Amino acid sequence: MIRPHIPTSLRHVVTARAKHQCEYCLVHEDDRPESHQIDHVIALKHGGQTTEENLALACALCNNQKGSDLATIDLETEKIVPLFNPRKDAWTDHFQLSEGEIVGISTVGQATVRLLRLNEPDRVLFRRLLIEINRYPMAEVAD
Ligand SMILES: [Zn+2]
């Protein structure tokens, strides 16, 4: 995938705003082997812009799963469900933590958990290890 150039200053703003945590799975950048990435919430191909209002910090695992997707389909209802939008949605309105698992508590949350594979066994195990050493979650993500 071609990654658009993001000015360093903008990268810093987005990273600081997210408190260095992935805005989807909340893992801190220092706890991942590779740097977190700047995610276009609305991908460029859908007309999204490279602006603060459309950027989020995402770990490589979340960002790779998300790609340029904005939504997914609920297979039971066959309805299109938007993905969690860190710029518009409050994390705690859509997710809860339960022993390292990220539980979707809304259709948006459930769709996002599934599409981003937030509860792959190794990811849950990793978050449980972080909990044990008081590294997860690092800060409340209220806004
Ligand atoms: Zn993540």
mmCIF file of all heavy atoms in Angstrom, residues 18-34 36 57-62 91 97 100 102 118 123-124 126-128 130 135-139 141:
data_model
loop_
_atom_site.group_PDB
_atom_site.id
_atom_site.type_symbol
_atom_site.label_atom_id
_atom_site.label_comp_id
_atom_site.label_asym_id
_atom_site.label_seq_id
_atom_site.Cartn_x
_atom_site.Cartn_y
_atom_site.Cartn_z
ATOM 1 N N ALA A 18 -3.362 11.586 20.625
ATOM 2 C CA ALA A 18 -3.734 10.207 20.958
ATOM 3 C C ALA A 18 -2.976 9.672 22.170
ATOM 4 O O ALA A 18 -3.135 8.504 22.530
ATOM 5 C CB ALA A 18 -3.475 9.307 19.753
ATOM 6 N N LYS A 19 -2.159 10.517 22.769
ATOM 7 C CA LYS A 19 -1.334 10.106 23.911
ATOM 8 C C LYS A 19 -0.497 8.875 23.571
ATOM 9 O O LYS A 19 -0.302 7.979 24.403
ATOM 10 C CB LYS A 19 -2.197 9.834 25.144
ATOM 11 C CG LYS A 19 -3.067 11.027 25.542
ATOM 12 C CD LYS A 19 -3.830 10.736 26.823
ATOM 13 C CE LYS A 19 -4.676 11.893 27.288
ATOM 14 N NZ LYS A 19 -6.076 11.835 26.852
ATOM 15 N N HIS A 20 -0.055 8.821 22.316
ATOM 16 C CA HIS A 20 0.814 7.732 21.844
ATOM 17 C C HIS A 20 0.138 6.365 21.895
ATOM 18 O O HIS A 20 0.804 5.333 21.875
ATOM 19 C CB HIS A 20 2.144 7.704 22.607
ATOM 20 C CG HIS A 20 2.959 8.954 22.419
ATOM 21 N ND1 HIS A 20 4.001 9.044 21.532
ATOM 22 C CD2 HIS A 20 2.837 10.185 22.989
ATOM 23 C CE1 HIS A 20 4.508 10.271 21.580
ATOM 24 N NE2 HIS A 20 3.818 10.986 22.453
ATOM 25 N N GLN A 21 -1.177 6.352 21.986
ATOM 26 C CA GLN A 21 -1.905 5.073 22.001
ATOM 27 C C GLN A 21 -2.618 4.885 20.663
ATOM 28 O O GLN A 21 -3.125 5.846 20.083
ATOM 29 C CB GLN A 21 -2.995 5.088 23.071
ATOM 30 C CG GLN A 21 -2.491 5.167 24.483
ATOM 31 C CD GLN A 21 -3.646 5.148 25.480
ATOM 32 O OE1 GLN A 21 -3.478 4.723 26.596
ATOM 33 N NE2 GLN A 21 -4.811 5.623 25.088
ATOM 34 N N CYS A 22 -2.707 3.624 20.241
ATOM 35 C CA CYS A 22 -3.554 3.309 19.094
ATOM 36 C C CYS A 22 -4.980 3.729 19.455
ATOM 37 O O CYS A 22 -5.481 3.386 20.528
ATOM 38 C CB CYS A 22 -3.500 1.816 18.792
ATOM 39 S SG CYS A 22 -4.677 1.311 17.525
ATOM 40 N N GLU A 23 -5.638 4.454 18.578
ATOM 41 C CA GLU A 23 -6.979 4.953 18.898
ATOM 42 C C GLU A 23 -8.054 3.880 18.715
ATOM 43 O O GLU A 23 -9.212 4.112 19.036
ATOM 44 C CB GLU A 23 -7.286 6.203 18.071
ATOM 45 C CG GLU A 23 -6.333 7.354 18.446
ATOM 46 C CD GLU A 23 -6.719 8.698 17.880
ATOM 47 O OE1 GLU A 23 -7.794 9.208 18.241
ATOM 48 O OE2 GLU A 23 -5.943 9.235 17.068
ATOM 49 N N TYR A 24 -7.654 2.701 18.257
ATOM 50 C CA TYR A 24 -8.607 1.606 18.115
ATOM 51 C C TYR A 24 -8.434 0.587 19.250
ATOM 52 O O TYR A 24 -9.382 0.286 19.953
ATOM 53 C CB TYR A 24 -8.445 0.935 16.746
ATOM 54 C CG TYR A 24 -8.748 1.894 15.609
ATOM 55 C CD1 TYR A 24 -7.729 2.602 14.966
ATOM 56 C CD2 TYR A 24 -10.062 2.133 15.210
ATOM 57 C CE1 TYR A 24 -8.013 3.505 13.947
ATOM 58 C CE2 TYR A 24 -10.358 3.041 14.198
ATOM 59 C CZ TYR A 24 -9.329 3.717 13.572
ATOM 60 O OH TYR A 24 -9.608 4.616 12.581
ATOM 61 N N CYS A 25 -7.204 0.086 19.423
ATOM 62 C CA CYS A 25 -7.008 -0.963 20.437
ATOM 63 C C CYS A 25 -6.352 -0.446 21.715
ATOM 64 O O CYS A 25 -6.197 -1.200 22.678
ATOM 65 C CB CYS A 25 -6.204 -2.123 19.858
ATOM 66 S SG CYS A 25 -4.456 -1.754 19.599
ATOM 67 N N LEU A 26 -5.954 0.829 21.725
ATOM 68 C CA LEU A 26 -5.417 1.527 22.911
ATOM 69 C C LEU A 26 -4.020 1.079 23.344
ATOM 70 O O LEU A 26 -3.554 1.493 24.407
ATOM 71 C CB LEU A 26 -6.378 1.419 24.116
ATOM 72 C CG LEU A 26 -7.833 1.816 23.905
ATOM 73 C CD1 LEU A 26 -8.581 1.769 25.249
ATOM 74 C CD2 LEU A 26 -7.955 3.184 23.283
ATOM 75 N N VAL A 27 -3.372 0.247 22.552
ATOM 76 C CA VAL A 27 -2.013 -0.158 22.927
ATOM 77 C C VAL A 27 -1.059 1.021 22.714
ATOM 78 O O VAL A 27 -1.136 1.728 21.705
ATOM 79 C CB VAL A 27 -1.570 -1.404 22.118
ATOM 80 C CG1 VAL A 27 -0.077 -1.679 22.298
ATOM 81 C CG2 VAL A 27 -2.378 -2.620 22.553
ATOM 82 N N HIS A 28 -0.188 1.240 23.690
ATOM 83 C CA HIS A 28 0.767 2.345 23.622
ATOM 84 C C HIS A 28 1.877 2.015 22.630
ATOM 85 O O HIS A 28 2.317 0.872 22.535
ATOM 86 C CB HIS A 28 1.362 2.594 25.017
ATOM 87 C CG HIS A 28 2.072 3.903 25.148
ATOM 88 N ND1 HIS A 28 3.351 4.099 24.692
ATOM 89 C CD2 HIS A 28 1.660 5.082 25.684
ATOM 90 C CE1 HIS A 28 3.711 5.358 24.956
ATOM 91 N NE2 HIS A 28 2.699 5.970 25.556
ATOM 92 N N GLU A 29 2.301 3.050 21.938
ATOM 93 C CA GLU A 29 3.329 2.900 20.908
ATOM 94 C C GLU A 29 4.619 2.278 21.460
ATOM 95 O O GLU A 29 5.280 1.500 20.780
ATOM 96 C CB GLU A 29 3.532 4.307 20.346
ATOM 97 C CG GLU A 29 4.728 4.630 19.618
ATOM 98 C CD GLU A 29 4.536 5.931 18.837
ATOM 99 O OE1 GLU A 29 4.602 7.008 19.444
ATOM 100 O OE2 GLU A 29 4.327 5.851 17.623
ATOM 101 N N ASP A 30 4.962 2.596 22.704
ATOM 102 C CA ASP A 30 6.204 2.060 23.279
ATOM 103 C C ASP A 30 6.143 0.549 23.498
ATOM 104 O O ASP A 30 7.165 -0.080 23.734
ATOM 105 C CB ASP A 30 6.503 2.722 24.639
ATOM 106 C CG ASP A 30 6.887 4.182 24.496
ATOM 107 O OD1 ASP A 30 7.113 4.627 23.350
ATOM 108 O OD2 ASP A 30 6.949 4.876 25.525
ATOM 109 N N ASP A 31 4.926 -0.004 23.457
ATOM 110 C CA ASP A 31 4.773 -1.435 23.702
ATOM 111 C C ASP A 31 4.714 -2.257 22.418
ATOM 112 O O ASP A 31 4.486 -3.467 22.474
ATOM 113 C CB ASP A 31 3.516 -1.684 24.549
ATOM 114 C CG ASP A 31 3.673 -1.083 25.937
ATOM 115 O OD1 ASP A 31 4.750 -1.257 26.528
ATOM 116 O OD2 ASP A 31 2.739 -0.406 26.406
ATOM 117 N N ARG A 32 4.877 -1.597 21.288
ATOM 118 C CA ARG A 32 4.846 -2.314 20.023
ATOM 119 C C ARG A 32 6.246 -2.293 19.413
ATOM 120 O O ARG A 32 6.967 -1.310 19.558
ATOM 121 C CB ARG A 32 3.862 -1.637 19.047
ATOM 122 C CG ARG A 32 2.392 -1.740 19.462
ATOM 123 C CD ARG A 32 1.785 -3.092 19.163
ATOM 124 N NE ARG A 32 2.213 -3.567 17.854
ATOM 125 C CZ ARG A 32 2.278 -4.851 17.506
ATOM 126 N NH1 ARG A 32 1.914 -5.784 18.340
ATOM 127 N NH2 ARG A 32 2.686 -5.190 16.313
ATOM 128 N N PRO A 33 6.595 -3.366 18.709
ATOM 129 C CA PRO A 33 7.942 -3.382 18.113
ATOM 130 C C PRO A 33 8.117 -2.333 17.005
ATOM 131 O O PRO A 33 9.216 -1.871 16.766
ATOM 132 C CB PRO A 33 8.064 -4.802 17.555
ATOM 133 C CG PRO A 33 6.668 -5.319 17.448
ATOM 134 C CD PRO A 33 5.864 -4.611 18.502
ATOM 135 N N GLU A 34 7.015 -1.979 16.352
ATOM 136 C CA GLU A 34 7.139 -0.987 15.286
ATOM 137 C C GLU A 34 6.338 0.259 15.662
ATOM 138 O O GLU A 34 5.441 0.193 16.488
ATOM 139 C CB GLU A 34 6.660 -1.550 13.933
ATOM 140 C CG GLU A 34 5.173 -1.855 13.839
ATOM 141 C CD GLU A 34 4.730 -3.129 14.571
ATOM 142 O OE1 GLU A 34 5.179 -4.209 14.186
ATOM 143 O OE2 GLU A 34 3.917 -3.044 15.513
ATOM 144 N N HIS A 36 3.715 3.308 15.715
ATOM 145 C CA HIS A 36 2.328 3.454 15.300
ATOM 146 C C HIS A 36 2.290 4.247 13.995
ATOM 147 O O HIS A 36 3.232 4.963 13.652
ATOM 148 C CB HIS A 36 1.529 4.189 16.384
ATOM 149 C CG HIS A 36 1.094 3.291 17.522
ATOM 150 N ND1 HIS A 36 1.521 1.983 17.654
ATOM 151 C CD2 HIS A 36 0.274 3.531 18.584
ATOM 152 C CE1 HIS A 36 0.959 1.455 18.747
ATOM 153 N NE2 HIS A 36 0.206 2.371 19.331
ATOM 154 N N LEU A 57 -4.196 7.997 15.192
ATOM 155 C CA LEU A 57 -3.015 7.169 15.429
ATOM 156 C C LEU A 57 -3.471 5.719 15.534
ATOM 157 O O LEU A 57 -4.419 5.416 16.264
ATOM 158 C CB LEU A 57 -2.321 7.617 16.716
ATOM 159 C CG LEU A 57 -0.926 7.022 16.942
ATOM 160 C CD1 LEU A 57 0.064 7.556 15.900
ATOM 161 C CD2 LEU A 57 -0.420 7.337 18.346
ATOM 162 N N ALA A 58 -2.826 4.855 14.796
ATOM 163 C CA ALA A 58 -3.207 3.441 14.811
ATOM 164 C C ALA A 58 -1.959 2.571 14.824
ATOM 165 O O ALA A 58 -0.963 2.883 14.168
ATOM 166 C CB ALA A 58 -4.059 3.104 13.593
ATOM 167 N N CYS A 59 -2.025 1.484 15.571
ATOM 168 C CA CYS A 59 -0.910 0.535 15.533
ATOM 169 C C CYS A 59 -0.923 -0.151 14.175
ATOM 170 O O CYS A 59 -1.924 -0.144 13.460
ATOM 171 C CB CYS A 59 -1.020 -0.476 16.678
ATOM 172 S SG CYS A 59 -2.331 -1.688 16.493
ATOM 173 N N ALA A 60 0.198 -0.756 13.838
ATOM 174 C CA ALA A 60 0.307 -1.401 12.528
ATOM 175 C C ALA A 60 -0.734 -2.499 12.361
ATOM 176 O O ALA A 60 -1.290 -2.681 11.277
ATOM 177 C CB ALA A 60 1.718 -1.955 12.345
ATOM 178 N N LEU A 61 -1.038 -3.223 13.450
ATOM 179 C CA LEU A 61 -2.005 -4.321 13.347
ATOM 180 C C LEU A 61 -3.383 -3.794 12.987
ATOM 181 O O LEU A 61 -4.052 -4.307 12.091
ATOM 182 C CB LEU A 61 -2.071 -5.089 14.673
ATOM 183 C CG LEU A 61 -0.781 -5.782 15.110
ATOM 184 C CD1 LEU A 61 -0.957 -6.386 16.501
ATOM 185 C CD2 LEU A 61 -0.379 -6.851 14.106
ATOM 186 N N CYS A 62 -3.833 -2.769 13.696
ATOM 187 C CA CYS A 62 -5.146 -2.184 13.403
ATOM 188 C C CYS A 62 -5.161 -1.541 12.021
ATOM 189 O O CYS A 62 -6.096 -1.718 11.245
ATOM 190 C CB CYS A 62 -5.517 -1.147 14.464
ATOM 191 S SG CYS A 62 -5.970 -1.887 16.052
ATOM 192 N N TRP A 91 -14.633 6.361 22.457
ATOM 193 C CA TRP A 91 -14.264 4.938 22.541
ATOM 194 C C TRP A 91 -15.189 4.205 23.505
ATOM 195 O O TRP A 91 -15.679 3.109 23.214
ATOM 196 C CB TRP A 91 -12.795 4.832 22.992
ATOM 197 C CG TRP A 91 -12.143 3.511 22.729
ATOM 198 C CD1 TRP A 91 -11.461 3.142 21.605
ATOM 199 C CD2 TRP A 91 -12.114 2.371 23.606
ATOM 200 N NE1 TRP A 91 -11.007 1.851 21.729
ATOM 201 C CE2 TRP A 91 -11.385 1.350 22.945
ATOM 202 C CE3 TRP A 91 -12.630 2.120 24.874
ATOM 203 C CZ2 TRP A 91 -11.170 0.093 23.522
ATOM 204 C CZ3 TRP A 91 -12.417 0.870 25.439
ATOM 205 C CH2 TRP A 91 -11.691 -0.132 24.763
ATOM 206 N N LEU A 97 -13.480 -2.881 28.000
ATOM 207 C CA LEU A 97 -12.389 -3.833 28.176
ATOM 208 C C LEU A 97 -12.811 -4.894 29.161
ATOM 209 O O LEU A 97 -13.433 -4.597 30.184
ATOM 210 C CB LEU A 97 -11.148 -3.112 28.713
ATOM 211 C CG LEU A 97 -10.429 -2.235 27.696
ATOM 212 C CD1 LEU A 97 -9.352 -1.420 28.376
ATOM 213 C CD2 LEU A 97 -9.837 -3.091 26.586
ATOM 214 N N GLY A 100 -8.500 -7.858 28.926
ATOM 215 C CA GLY A 100 -7.693 -7.813 27.710
ATOM 216 C C GLY A 100 -8.494 -7.924 26.430
ATOM 217 O O GLY A 100 -8.010 -7.589 25.356
ATOM 218 N N ILE A 102 -11.452 -6.713 23.927
ATOM 219 C CA ILE A 102 -12.176 -5.485 23.621
ATOM 220 C C ILE A 102 -13.570 -5.907 23.169
ATOM 221 O O ILE A 102 -13.731 -6.591 22.153
ATOM 222 C CB ILE A 102 -11.447 -4.670 22.531
ATOM 223 C CG1 ILE A 102 -10.078 -4.215 23.074
ATOM 224 C CG2 ILE A 102 -12.292 -3.476 22.099
ATOM 225 C CD1 ILE A 102 -9.191 -3.536 22.055
ATOM 226 N N LEU A 118 -9.582 -7.227 16.546
ATOM 227 C CA LEU A 118 -9.032 -6.737 17.810
ATOM 228 C C LEU A 118 -8.861 -7.854 18.837
ATOM 229 O O LEU A 118 -8.063 -7.711 19.754
ATOM 230 C CB LEU A 118 -9.933 -5.639 18.387
ATOM 231 C CG LEU A 118 -10.041 -4.361 17.538
ATOM 232 C CD1 LEU A 118 -10.968 -3.352 18.206
ATOM 233 C CD2 LEU A 118 -8.675 -3.733 17.305
ATOM 234 N N ARG A 123 -3.368 -11.170 20.222
ATOM 235 C CA ARG A 123 -3.508 -9.766 20.608
ATOM 236 C C ARG A 123 -4.101 -9.661 22.020
ATOM 237 O O ARG A 123 -3.697 -8.815 22.803
ATOM 238 C CB ARG A 123 -4.379 -9.010 19.589
ATOM 239 C CG ARG A 123 -3.742 -8.989 18.204
ATOM 240 C CD ARG A 123 -4.540 -8.172 17.209
ATOM 241 N NE ARG A 123 -4.424 -6.746 17.478
ATOM 242 C CZ ARG A 123 -5.007 -5.808 16.725
ATOM 243 N NH1 ARG A 123 -5.745 -6.157 15.676
ATOM 244 N NH2 ARG A 123 -4.863 -4.541 17.022
ATOM 245 N N VAL A 124 -5.062 -10.518 22.339
ATOM 246 C CA VAL A 124 -5.651 -10.513 23.687
ATOM 247 C C VAL A 124 -4.595 -10.909 24.713
ATOM 248 O O VAL A 124 -4.444 -10.271 25.760
ATOM 249 C CB VAL A 124 -6.872 -11.462 23.761
ATOM 250 C CG1 VAL A 124 -7.377 -11.571 25.191
ATOM 251 C CG2 VAL A 124 -7.984 -10.965 22.834
ATOM 252 N N PHE A 126 -1.417 -10.610 24.463
ATOM 253 C CA PHE A 126 -0.456 -9.512 24.581
ATOM 254 C C PHE A 126 -1.007 -8.423 25.505
ATOM 255 O O PHE A 126 -0.302 -7.926 26.390
ATOM 256 C CB PHE A 126 -0.150 -8.952 23.189
ATOM 257 C CG PHE A 126 0.845 -7.837 23.199
ATOM 258 C CD1 PHE A 126 2.155 -8.059 23.595
ATOM 259 C CD2 PHE A 126 0.478 -6.555 22.820
ATOM 260 C CE1 PHE A 126 3.085 -7.024 23.612
ATOM 261 C CE2 PHE A 126 1.395 -5.512 22.842
ATOM 262 C CZ PHE A 126 2.699 -5.750 23.234
ATOM 263 N N ARG A 127 -2.288 -8.071 25.334
ATOM 264 C CA ARG A 127 -2.869 -7.024 26.189
ATOM 265 C C ARG A 127 -2.953 -7.495 27.640
ATOM 266 O O ARG A 127 -2.776 -6.709 28.562
ATOM 267 C CB ARG A 127 -4.231 -6.594 25.650
ATOM 268 C CG ARG A 127 -4.122 -5.833 24.329
ATOM 269 C CD ARG A 127 -5.417 -5.107 23.961
ATOM 270 N NE ARG A 127 -6.525 -6.001 23.739
ATOM 271 C CZ ARG A 127 -6.939 -6.406 22.521
ATOM 272 N NH1 ARG A 127 -6.345 -5.988 21.417
ATOM 273 N NH2 ARG A 127 -7.964 -7.236 22.407
ATOM 274 N N ARG A 128 -3.198 -8.794 27.837
ATOM 275 C CA ARG A 128 -3.222 -9.299 29.221
ATOM 276 C C ARG A 128 -1.856 -9.148 29.875
ATOM 277 O O ARG A 128 -1.755 -8.815 31.053
ATOM 278 C CB ARG A 128 -3.651 -10.764 29.241
ATOM 279 C CG ARG A 128 -5.148 -10.884 29.068
ATOM 280 C CD ARG A 128 -5.641 -12.314 29.243
ATOM 281 N NE ARG A 128 -7.048 -12.369 28.914
ATOM 282 C CZ ARG A 128 -7.670 -13.431 28.390
ATOM 283 N NH1 ARG A 128 -7.004 -14.549 28.178
ATOM 284 N NH2 ARG A 128 -8.947 -13.374 28.117
ATOM 285 N N LEU A 130 0.277 -6.852 29.128
ATOM 286 C CA LEU A 130 0.426 -5.410 29.401
ATOM 287 C C LEU A 130 -0.339 -5.013 30.660
ATOM 288 O O LEU A 130 0.125 -4.181 31.443
ATOM 289 C CB LEU A 130 -0.069 -4.585 28.209
ATOM 290 C CG LEU A 130 0.768 -4.681 26.932
ATOM 291 C CD1 LEU A 130 0.112 -3.864 25.814
ATOM 292 C CD2 LEU A 130 2.193 -4.188 27.158
ATOM 293 N N ARG A 135 0.608 -1.611 32.019
ATOM 294 C CA ARG A 135 0.855 -0.831 30.804
ATOM 295 C C ARG A 135 -0.402 -0.735 29.933
ATOM 296 O O ARG A 135 -0.329 -0.265 28.798
ATOM 297 C CB ARG A 135 1.979 -1.471 29.970
ATOM 298 C CG ARG A 135 3.346 -1.472 30.600
ATOM 299 C CD ARG A 135 4.067 -0.154 30.487
ATOM 300 N NE ARG A 135 4.111 0.369 29.128
ATOM 301 C CZ ARG A 135 4.520 1.605 28.839
ATOM 302 N NH1 ARG A 135 4.903 2.426 29.783
ATOM 303 N NH2 ARG A 135 4.534 2.025 27.583
ATOM 304 N N TYR A 136 -1.520 -1.214 30.446
ATOM 305 C CA TYR A 136 -2.721 -1.189 29.602
ATOM 306 C C TYR A 136 -3.973 -1.184 30.462
ATOM 307 O O TYR A 136 -4.061 -1.990 31.382
ATOM 308 C CB TYR A 136 -2.735 -2.416 28.685
ATOM 309 C CG TYR A 136 -3.858 -2.401 27.675
ATOM 310 C CD1 TYR A 136 -3.720 -1.718 26.469
ATOM 311 C CD2 TYR A 136 -5.056 -3.044 27.941
ATOM 312 C CE1 TYR A 136 -4.750 -1.691 25.549
ATOM 313 C CE2 TYR A 136 -6.097 -3.018 27.016
ATOM 314 C CZ TYR A 136 -5.936 -2.348 25.827
ATOM 315 O OH TYR A 136 -6.948 -2.324 24.918
ATOM 316 N N PRO A 137 -4.963 -0.342 30.181
ATOM 317 C CA PRO A 137 -4.808 0.795 29.262
ATOM 318 C C PRO A 137 -4.044 1.899 29.967
ATOM 319 O O PRO A 137 -4.111 2.010 31.190
ATOM 320 C CB PRO A 137 -6.262 1.213 28.981
ATOM 321 C CG PRO A 137 -7.015 0.775 30.190
ATOM 322 C CD PRO A 137 -6.303 -0.416 30.746
ATOM 323 N N MET A 138 -3.329 2.707 29.197
ATOM 324 C CA MET A 138 -2.458 3.722 29.779
ATOM 325 C C MET A 138 -3.213 4.951 30.220
ATOM 326 O O MET A 138 -2.831 5.625 31.143
ATOM 327 C CB MET A 138 -1.393 4.129 28.760
ATOM 328 C CG MET A 138 -0.461 3.000 28.389
ATOM 329 S SD MET A 138 0.636 2.556 29.760
ATOM 330 C CE MET A 138 1.831 3.874 29.616
ATOM 331 N N ALA A 139 -4.273 5.295 29.513
ATOM 332 C CA ALA A 139 -5.019 6.501 29.856
ATOM 333 C C ALA A 139 -6.443 6.320 29.393
ATOM 334 O O ALA A 139 -6.721 5.576 28.462
ATOM 335 C CB ALA A 139 -4.397 7.718 29.189
ATOM 336 N N VAL A 141 -9.630 7.108 27.414
ATOM 337 C CA VAL A 141 -9.852 7.725 26.123
ATOM 338 C C VAL A 141 -11.309 8.179 26.112
ATOM 339 O O VAL A 141 -12.179 7.473 25.678
ATOM 340 C CB VAL A 141 -9.587 6.733 24.976
ATOM 341 C CG1 VAL A 141 -9.762 7.402 23.641
ATOM 342 C CG2 VAL A 141 -8.196 6.174 25.108
#
